[in-house]
Amino acid sequence: QVLLQESGPGLVKPSDTLSLTCTVSDGSISDYYWSWIRQSPGKGLEYIGYIYTTETSNYNPSLKSRLTISLDTSKNQISLTVTSVTAADTAVYYCARLRVGVGGYFDSWGQGTLVTVSA
Amino acid sequence: SYELIQPPSVSVSPGQTASITCSGDKLGEKYVCWYQQKPGQSPVLVIYGDNSRPSGIPERFAGSNSGNTAILTITGAQASDEADYFCQAWDSSAPVTFGGGTKVTVL
């Protein structure tokens, strides 16, 4: 059973950069696709992006100019960076394992981490 | 950008059948999956590939997808099924789109 754990600061100032890490236990991250998804308080799910290798990644077009998703295989971690944050970036951020085959679906999720953007 | 439309809420009596719709242009040509999310918890995959159940998901959860509409059916709804349900479509051009979510109330 793969376990995913998000970590990072819970409070970020407007215009600053948000950086989160997802640590994966019980399995190599090299074998799968990994994704970030967020959920604003009381709202629905928003796809942020996914990564398989540095050359194989996809970002939500509405966020792409501010996003970087990267892998650290030595630490079994996936990272997310969002620049120039605003209050609209306040959300619970989830990392999830993306299975690609019969379509694409997220079969394992982290517990999520709340990030609040506020001065 | 691609959109998926779900009804905001669905009510069902215990033991009865709940149907949650997810509509999108030519949705039947894409693969659809469904997630269940209870308050304060992470989403859980209940259907993938239109109609496949992951291990551990009860048989009362079933999915279908045709034309412009995908449907999640809960047959014999239980109190524990009360949750938000999100559909998600996968397409190679715009890989991931989520529906807005449907709150299922069992009463």
Side-chain angles (χ1 to χ4, degrees), chain A residues 28-69:
Chain A
S28 170
I29 63 172
S30 301
D31 297 334
Y32 294 96
Y33 290 72
W34 303 94
S35 188
W36 288 94
I37 297 152
R38 69 183 184 181
Q39 185 171 33
S40 299
K43 302 293 186 181
L45 301 168
E46 181 180 25
Y47 165 72
I48 297 173
Y50 75 71
I51 188 167
Y52 179 57
T53 66
T54 303
E55 294 76 28
T56 304
S57 62
N58 177 273
Y59 294 158
N60 183 328
S62 69
L63 301 169
K64 185 174 183 177
S65 64
R66 300 192 292 127
L67 289 181
T68 302
I69 298 176

Short mmCIF file of all heavy atoms in Angstrom, two decimals, chain A residues 28-69:
data_model
loop_
_atom_site.label_atom_id
_atom_site.label_comp_id
_atom_site.label_asym_id
_atom_site.label_seq_id
_atom_site.Cartn_x
_atom_site.Cartn_y
_atom_site.Cartn_z
N SER A 28 8.95 2.81 -5.51
CA SER A 28 9.77 3.81 -6.18
C SER A 28 8.89 4.75 -7.00
O SER A 28 7.99 4.30 -7.72
CB SER A 28 10.78 3.12 -7.11
OG SER A 28 11.41 4.08 -7.93
N ILE A 29 9.19 6.03 -6.91
CA ILE A 29 8.40 6.98 -7.69
C ILE A 29 8.71 6.88 -9.18
O ILE A 29 7.96 7.38 -10.02
CB ILE A 29 8.60 8.43 -7.21
CG1 ILE A 29 10.05 8.89 -7.40
CG2 ILE A 29 8.15 8.57 -5.76
CD1 ILE A 29 10.24 10.38 -7.13
N SER A 30 9.80 6.22 -9.52
CA SER A 30 10.19 6.12 -10.92
C SER A 30 9.23 5.26 -11.74
O SER A 30 9.25 5.32 -12.96
CB SER A 30 11.61 5.55 -11.04
OG SER A 30 12.54 6.36 -10.37
N ASP A 31 8.44 4.47 -11.07
CA ASP A 31 7.59 3.51 -11.77
C ASP A 31 6.22 4.07 -12.14
O ASP A 31 5.45 3.40 -12.84
CB ASP A 31 7.38 2.27 -10.90
CG ASP A 31 8.69 1.53 -10.63
OD1 ASP A 31 9.61 1.64 -11.46
OD2 ASP A 31 8.78 0.86 -9.58
N TYR A 32 5.89 5.25 -11.65
CA TYR A 32 4.53 5.74 -11.82
C TYR A 32 4.51 7.22 -12.24
O TYR A 32 5.52 7.92 -12.16
CB TYR A 32 3.74 5.60 -10.51
CG TYR A 32 3.51 4.17 -10.10
CD1 TYR A 32 4.36 3.55 -9.19
CD2 TYR A 32 2.45 3.44 -10.62
CE1 TYR A 32 4.15 2.23 -8.81
CE2 TYR A 32 2.23 2.13 -10.25
CZ TYR A 32 3.09 1.53 -9.34
OH TYR A 32 2.88 0.23 -8.97
N TYR A 33 3.31 7.66 -12.62
CA TYR A 33 3.02 9.08 -12.81
C TYR A 33 2.56 9.64 -11.46
O TYR A 33 1.90 8.96 -10.69
CB TYR A 33 1.88 9.28 -13.81
CG TYR A 33 2.21 8.94 -15.24
CD1 TYR A 33 2.38 7.63 -15.68
CD2 TYR A 33 2.30 9.96 -16.20
CE1 TYR A 33 2.65 7.34 -17.00
CE2 TYR A 33 2.57 9.68 -17.53
CZ TYR A 33 2.74 8.37 -17.93
OH TYR A 33 3.01 8.08 -19.24
N TRP A 34 2.86 10.92 -11.24
CA TRP A 34 2.49 11.58 -10.00
C TRP A 34 1.87 12.93 -10.31
O TRP A 34 2.27 13.61 -11.26
CB TRP A 34 3.70 11.74 -9.09
CG TRP A 34 4.34 10.43 -8.81
CD1 TRP A 34 5.38 9.87 -9.47
CD2 TRP A 34 3.92 9.47 -7.83
NE1 TRP A 34 5.64 8.62 -8.97
CE2 TRP A 34 4.77 8.35 -7.95
CE3 TRP A 34 2.92 9.44 -6.86
CZ2 TRP A 34 4.65 7.22 -7.14
CZ3 TRP A 34 2.80 8.32 -6.06
CH2 TRP A 34 3.66 7.23 -6.20
N SER A 35 0.91 13.32 -9.47
CA SER A 35 0.16 14.51 -9.79
C SER A 35 -0.10 15.36 -8.55
O SER A 35 -0.02 14.86 -7.43
CB SER A 35 -1.17 14.11 -10.42
OG SER A 35 -1.87 15.21 -10.91
N TRP A 36 -0.37 16.61 -8.79
CA TRP A 36 -0.84 17.52 -7.74
C TRP A 36 -2.25 17.99 -8.10
O TRP A 36 -2.53 18.31 -9.27
CB TRP A 36 0.09 18.72 -7.59
CG TRP A 36 1.40 18.40 -6.96
CD1 TRP A 36 2.57 18.09 -7.59
CD2 TRP A 36 1.69 18.36 -5.56
NE1 TRP A 36 3.57 17.85 -6.67
CE2 TRP A 36 3.05 18.01 -5.41
CE3 TRP A 36 0.93 18.58 -4.40
CZ2 TRP A 36 3.67 17.90 -4.16
CZ3 TRP A 36 1.54 18.47 -3.16
CH2 TRP A 36 2.90 18.13 -3.05
N ILE A 37 -3.10 18.04 -7.12
CA ILE A 37 -4.49 18.46 -7.24
C ILE A 37 -4.79 19.35 -6.04
O ILE A 37 -4.27 19.10 -4.95
CB ILE A 37 -5.41 17.23 -7.25
CG1 ILE A 37 -5.11 16.34 -8.46
CG2 ILE A 37 -6.89 17.62 -7.23
CD1 ILE A 37 -5.41 14.88 -8.23
N ARG A 38 -5.60 20.36 -6.23
CA ARG A 38 -5.94 21.21 -5.10
C ARG A 38 -7.43 21.39 -4.97
O ARG A 38 -8.19 21.15 -5.92
CB ARG A 38 -5.23 22.56 -5.19
CG ARG A 38 -5.72 23.47 -6.30
CD ARG A 38 -4.89 24.76 -6.32
NE ARG A 38 -5.40 25.71 -7.31
CZ ARG A 38 -4.85 26.90 -7.54
NH1 ARG A 38 -3.76 27.28 -6.86
NH2 ARG A 38 -5.38 27.71 -8.45
N GLN A 39 -7.85 21.81 -3.80
CA GLN A 39 -9.27 21.99 -3.51
C GLN A 39 -9.42 23.22 -2.63
O GLN A 39 -9.02 23.20 -1.46
CB GLN A 39 -9.83 20.74 -2.83
CG GLN A 39 -11.32 20.76 -2.60
CD GLN A 39 -11.84 19.41 -2.12
OE1 GLN A 39 -11.15 18.68 -1.41
NE2 GLN A 39 -13.06 19.05 -2.51
N SER A 40 -9.99 24.26 -3.18
CA SER A 40 -10.25 25.47 -2.39
C SER A 40 -11.33 25.17 -1.36
O SER A 40 -12.18 24.30 -1.59
CB SER A 40 -10.70 26.61 -3.30
OG SER A 40 -9.70 26.92 -4.24
N PRO A 41 -11.30 25.86 -0.22
CA PRO A 41 -12.25 25.56 0.86
C PRO A 41 -13.69 25.51 0.38
O PRO A 41 -14.21 26.47 -0.22
CB PRO A 41 -12.01 26.72 1.84
CG PRO A 41 -10.59 27.09 1.62
CD PRO A 41 -10.35 26.91 0.15
N GLY A 42 -14.34 24.38 0.61
CA GLY A 42 -15.74 24.23 0.24
C GLY A 42 -15.99 24.09 -1.24
O GLY A 42 -17.15 24.13 -1.68
N LYS A 43 -14.94 23.92 -2.02
CA LYS A 43 -15.08 23.87 -3.48
C LYS A 43 -14.71 22.50 -4.04
O LYS A 43 -14.44 21.55 -3.30
CB LYS A 43 -14.18 24.95 -4.12
CG LYS A 43 -14.49 26.37 -3.65
CD LYS A 43 -15.83 26.84 -4.10
CE LYS A 43 -16.04 28.30 -3.75
NZ LYS A 43 -17.39 28.78 -4.16
N GLY A 44 -14.67 22.44 -5.36
CA GLY A 44 -14.34 21.19 -6.03
C GLY A 44 -12.85 20.99 -6.22
O GLY A 44 -12.03 21.77 -5.74
N LEU A 45 -12.52 19.94 -6.94
CA LEU A 45 -11.14 19.56 -7.19
C LEU A 45 -10.61 20.26 -8.44
O LEU A 45 -11.32 20.37 -9.44
CB LEU A 45 -11.04 18.04 -7.37
CG LEU A 45 -11.52 17.20 -6.18
CD1 LEU A 45 -11.64 15.74 -6.59
CD2 LEU A 45 -10.58 17.37 -5.00
N GLU A 46 -9.38 20.71 -8.36
CA GLU A 46 -8.73 21.36 -9.50
C GLU A 46 -7.42 20.66 -9.81
O GLU A 46 -6.53 20.57 -8.95
CB GLU A 46 -8.49 22.84 -9.24
CG GLU A 46 -7.83 23.56 -10.41
CD GLU A 46 -7.59 25.03 -10.17
OE1 GLU A 46 -7.46 25.44 -8.99
OE2 GLU A 46 -7.51 25.79 -11.15
N TYR A 47 -7.29 20.19 -11.03
CA TYR A 47 -6.07 19.54 -11.49
C TYR A 47 -4.97 20.58 -11.65
O TYR A 47 -5.17 21.63 -12.26
CB TYR A 47 -6.35 18.84 -12.81
CG TYR A 47 -5.14 18.41 -13.60
CD1 TYR A 47 -4.36 17.34 -13.18
CD2 TYR A 47 -4.80 19.05 -14.79
CE1 TYR A 47 -3.26 16.93 -13.92
CE2 TYR A 47 -3.72 18.65 -15.53
CZ TYR A 47 -2.94 17.59 -15.10
OH TYR A 47 -1.86 17.19 -15.83
N ILE A 48 -3.80 20.29 -11.09
CA ILE A 48 -2.66 21.20 -11.22
C ILE A 48 -1.70 20.70 -12.30
O ILE A 48 -1.33 21.44 -13.20
CB ILE A 48 -1.91 21.33 -9.88
CG1 ILE A 48 -2.83 21.96 -8.82
CG2 ILE A 48 -0.64 22.16 -10.06
CD1 ILE A 48 -2.22 21.99 -7.42
N GLY A 49 -1.31 19.44 -12.22
CA GLY A 49 -0.40 18.89 -13.22
C GLY A 49 0.11 17.52 -12.83
O GLY A 49 -0.18 17.03 -11.73
N TYR A 50 0.82 16.89 -13.76
CA TYR A 50 1.43 15.60 -13.45
C TYR A 50 2.83 15.52 -14.01
O TYR A 50 3.22 16.29 -14.89
CB TYR A 50 0.57 14.43 -13.95
CG TYR A 50 0.58 14.16 -15.45
CD1 TYR A 50 1.69 13.62 -16.10
CD2 TYR A 50 -0.56 14.39 -16.22
CE1 TYR A 50 1.68 13.37 -17.46
CE2 TYR A 50 -0.58 14.12 -17.58
CZ TYR A 50 0.53 13.61 -18.20
OH TYR A 50 0.52 13.34 -19.55
N ILE A 51 3.60 14.56 -13.50
CA ILE A 51 4.95 14.31 -13.98
C ILE A 51 5.22 12.82 -13.97
O ILE A 51 4.74 12.09 -13.10
CB ILE A 51 5.99 15.07 -13.12
CG1 ILE A 51 7.39 14.98 -13.75
CG2 ILE A 51 5.99 14.56 -11.68
CD1 ILE A 51 8.38 15.95 -13.15
N TYR A 52 5.95 12.39 -14.96
CA TYR A 52 6.44 11.01 -15.00
C TYR A 52 7.97 11.03 -15.03
O TYR A 52 8.63 10.40 -14.23
CB TYR A 52 5.87 10.28 -16.21
CG TYR A 52 6.33 8.86 -16.37
CD1 TYR A 52 6.15 7.93 -15.35
CD2 TYR A 52 6.95 8.44 -17.54
CE1 TYR A 52 6.57 6.62 -15.50
CE2 TYR A 52 7.37 7.12 -17.69
CZ TYR A 52 7.18 6.22 -16.67
OH TYR A 52 7.60 4.93 -16.82
N THR A 53 8.47 11.78 -15.96
CA THR A 53 9.90 12.08 -15.99
C THR A 53 10.01 13.58 -16.28
O THR A 53 9.01 14.24 -16.53
CB THR A 53 10.62 11.32 -17.11
OG1 THR A 53 10.13 11.78 -18.37
CG2 THR A 53 10.37 9.82 -16.97
N THR A 54 11.21 14.09 -16.29
CA THR A 54 11.38 15.51 -16.60
C THR A 54 10.82 15.84 -17.98
O THR A 54 10.29 16.92 -18.23
CB THR A 54 12.86 15.90 -16.55
OG1 THR A 54 13.37 15.57 -15.25
CG2 THR A 54 13.05 17.38 -16.81
N GLU A 55 10.91 14.85 -18.87
CA GLU A 55 10.45 15.09 -20.24
C GLU A 55 8.97 14.81 -20.41
O GLU A 55 8.37 15.18 -21.42
CB GLU A 55 11.24 14.20 -21.22
CG GLU A 55 12.73 14.54 -21.34
CD GLU A 55 13.52 14.04 -20.16
OE1 GLU A 55 13.12 13.04 -19.53
OE2 GLU A 55 14.56 14.68 -19.85
N THR A 56 8.38 14.14 -19.45
CA THR A 56 6.96 13.77 -19.55
C THR A 56 6.21 14.42 -18.41
O THR A 56 6.21 13.91 -17.28
CB THR A 56 6.78 12.25 -19.52
OG1 THR A 56 7.57 11.65 -20.55
CG2 THR A 56 5.32 11.88 -19.71
N SER A 57 5.62 15.55 -18.69
CA SER A 57 4.84 16.25 -17.69
C SER A 57 3.71 17.01 -18.37
O SER A 57 3.73 17.20 -19.59
CB SER A 57 5.72 17.20 -16.87
OG SER A 57 6.28 18.19 -17.71
N ASN A 58 2.75 17.42 -17.59
CA ASN A 58 1.61 18.16 -18.11
C ASN A 58 1.12 19.11 -17.03
O ASN A 58 1.02 18.71 -15.86
CB ASN A 58 0.49 17.21 -18.54
CG ASN A 58 -0.74 17.95 -19.02
OD1 ASN A 58 -1.60 18.32 -18.23
ND2 ASN A 58 -0.81 18.18 -20.31
N TYR A 59 0.83 20.34 -17.43
CA TYR A 59 0.35 21.33 -16.46
C TYR A 59 -1.01 21.86 -16.89
O TYR A 59 -1.30 22.00 -18.09
CB TYR A 59 1.33 22.51 -16.37
CG TYR A 59 2.70 22.18 -15.80
CD1 TYR A 59 3.79 23.00 -16.08
CD2 TYR A 59 2.90 21.08 -14.97
CE1 TYR A 59 5.05 22.72 -15.56
CE2 TYR A 59 4.15 20.80 -14.45
CZ TYR A 59 5.23 21.62 -14.74
OH TYR A 59 6.46 21.34 -14.22
N ASN A 60 -1.83 22.21 -15.91
CA ASN A 60 -3.08 22.89 -16.17
C ASN A 60 -2.77 24.21 -16.89
O ASN A 60 -2.01 25.03 -16.37
CB ASN A 60 -3.80 23.15 -14.84
CG ASN A 60 -5.16 23.79 -15.01
OD1 ASN A 60 -5.41 24.56 -15.93
ND2 ASN A 60 -6.05 23.47 -14.10
N PRO A 61 -3.35 24.41 -18.07
CA PRO A 61 -3.01 25.64 -18.83
C PRO A 61 -3.26 26.93 -18.04
O PRO A 61 -2.53 27.92 -18.23
CB PRO A 61 -3.94 25.55 -20.04
CG PRO A 61 -4.22 24.09 -20.21
CD PRO A 61 -4.26 23.53 -18.82
N SER A 62 -4.25 26.92 -17.17
CA SER A 62 -4.57 28.14 -16.43
C SER A 62 -3.54 28.46 -15.36
O SER A 62 -3.51 29.58 -14.84
CB SER A 62 -5.96 28.00 -15.78
OG SER A 62 -5.92 27.03 -14.76
N LEU A 63 -2.68 27.51 -15.03
CA LEU A 63 -1.66 27.70 -13.99
C LEU A 63 -0.24 27.57 -14.53
O LEU A 63 0.72 27.88 -13.82
CB LEU A 63 -1.85 26.67 -12.87
CG LEU A 63 -3.20 26.67 -12.15
CD1 LEU A 63 -3.31 25.43 -11.26
CD2 LEU A 63 -3.35 27.92 -11.31
N LYS A 64 -0.13 27.12 -15.76
CA LYS A 64 1.16 26.67 -16.31
C LYS A 64 2.28 27.68 -16.14
O LYS A 64 3.42 27.33 -15.82
CB LYS A 64 0.99 26.32 -17.79
CG LYS A 64 2.21 25.72 -18.43
CD LYS A 64 1.90 25.27 -19.86
CE LYS A 64 3.12 24.61 -20.49
NZ LYS A 64 2.83 24.10 -21.85
N SER A 65 2.00 28.96 -16.33
CA SER A 65 3.06 29.97 -16.30
C SER A 65 3.67 30.13 -14.91
O SER A 65 4.76 30.69 -14.76
CB SER A 65 2.51 31.32 -16.78
OG SER A 65 1.51 31.78 -15.90
N ARG A 66 2.99 29.62 -13.88
CA ARG A 66 3.47 29.79 -12.50
C ARG A 66 3.91 28.48 -11.86
O ARG A 66 4.28 28.48 -10.69
CB ARG A 66 2.37 30.42 -11.64
CG ARG A 66 1.90 31.79 -12.13
CD ARG A 66 1.02 32.48 -11.09
NE ARG A 66 -0.25 31.81 -10.91
CZ ARG A 66 -0.73 31.42 -9.73
NH1 ARG A 66 -0.02 31.59 -8.62
NH2 ARG A 66 -1.92 30.85 -9.65
N LEU A 67 3.86 27.38 -12.61
CA LEU A 67 4.04 26.06 -12.01
C LEU A 67 5.38 25.42 -12.36
O LEU A 67 5.88 25.57 -13.48
CB LEU A 67 2.96 25.10 -12.51
CG LEU A 67 1.53 25.24 -12.05
CD1 LEU A 67 0.69 24.15 -12.70
CD2 LEU A 67 1.42 25.18 -10.55
N THR A 68 5.89 24.66 -11.39
CA THR A 68 6.94 23.69 -11.67
C THR A 68 6.67 22.45 -10.83
O THR A 68 6.46 22.57 -9.61
CB THR A 68 8.34 24.22 -11.33
OG1 THR A 68 8.60 25.42 -12.06
CG2 THR A 68 9.40 23.19 -11.70
N ILE A 69 6.65 21.29 -11.48
CA ILE A 69 6.57 20.02 -10.77
C ILE A 69 7.84 19.25 -11.09
O ILE A 69 8.23 19.15 -12.26
CB ILE A 69 5.32 19.21 -11.18
CG1 ILE A 69 4.05 19.99 -10.83
CG2 ILE A 69 5.31 17.86 -10.47
CD1 ILE A 69 2.76 19.30 -11.29
#
